[in-house]
Amino acid sequence: MDDDRKHRFEALYRQTYEQILGYAVRRCDSPEDAADVVAETFAIAWRRFDALPAGGEARLWLYGVARNVLANHRRGLARHRHRSVELDADLADLYARSPEGSVELGAIARAFRELPDGDRELISLVVWEGLDHGGIARVLGCSRNAARIRLHRARKRLSKALSSAGIAADGFAVEFI
């Protein structure tokens, strides 16, 4: 690694970090998202250091990079929300075909949304992707048994959330999930 390049990058980082962080914080919903945007911005700056303008123009160039990173971040969030809405609808359709035709679909969607992220991911891997315990284990980087146990617990929490919403989960295919 070129020491001169490293020192110039470190100097740029020290000079512009707070400004780029402030830019990201004012535009993100959470400090974690802002930190991710800043990290990605400086990673891009490092990779494209030779394209970086000199002097005060560098800060403006970093703002442009941060703006593009934010746009990508927002598109990712929109895709995630869209997939969540689709899964909510899929789950609602699954329950709507149950013998208990009077199920409140909105309550099911709310119960699913209120599950912890990990539980929603597990259930999504089963419902959307059609994965079995082995496939889930490979995706999560855990043993097949750990995946089975996590899925069992996620199903239990979904069942409890449905019961709390006044939906008799025993009449539904929660174990199918």
Side-chain angles (χ1 to χ4, degrees):
M1 178 183 337
D2 181 353
D3 281 342
D4 183 49
R5 176 184 167 138
K6 178 182 171 190
H7 292 301
R8 288 185 298 146
F9 181 81
E10 288 173 348
L12 173 70
Y13 182 86
R14 282 190 302 275
Q15 293 167 358
T16 60
Y17 175 80
E18 287 185 27
Q19 295 162 326
I20 300 302
L21 178 62
Y23 178 88
V25 165
R26 287 185 291 277
R27 288 162 177 79
C28 289
D29 293 333
S30 72
E32 294 82 10
D33 289 346
D36 289 345
V37 166
V38 171
E40 181 64 18
T41 298
F42 281 103
I44 290 168
W46 175 253
R47 286 192 305 268
R48 299 193 54 216
F49 192 76
D50 294 333
L52 197 68
E57 293 292 313
R59 181 175 54 92
L60 300 177
W61 186 86
L62 287 169
Y63 281 142
V65 170
R67 182 176 178 271
N68 291 334
V69 170
L70 275 165
N72 288 337
H73 175 74
R74 288 181 181 133
R75 281 191 294 274
L77 288 176
R79 279 192 304 273
H80 176 72
R81 285 187 198 111
H82 179 71
R83 286 190 304 255
S84 291
V85 167
E86 287 176 352
L87 181 59
D88 290 347
D90 290 347
L91 287 172
D93 288 345
L94 174 67
Y95 290 123
R97 285 178 268 174
S98 73
E100 317 251 351
S102 64
V103 172
E104 173 60 44
L105 300 180
I108 294 170
R110 277 189 302 281
F112 179 75
R113 276 192 309 272
E114 290 171 0
L115 290 174
D117 291 342
D119 289 354
R120 285 195 317 269
E121 176 65 12
L122 282 164
I123 292 169
S124 298
L125 287 171
V126 172
V127 174
W128 277 2
E129 310 307 331
L131 298 183
D132 61 6
H133 296 136
I136 293 170
R138 284 191 296 281
V139 169
L140 299 180
C142 64
S143 71
R144 183 182 175 93
N145 192 47
R148 183 186 60 76
I149 291 168
R150 290 178 189 174
L151 182 58
H152 173 76
R153 290 176 180 161
R155 288 174 174 155
K156 288 287 189 187
R157 284 188 280 271
L158 176 59
S159 180
K160 184 177 178 182
L162 290 171
S163 294
S164 295
I167 299 168
D170 60 328
F172 298 102
V174 173
E175 287 304 313
F176 165 76
I177 299 170

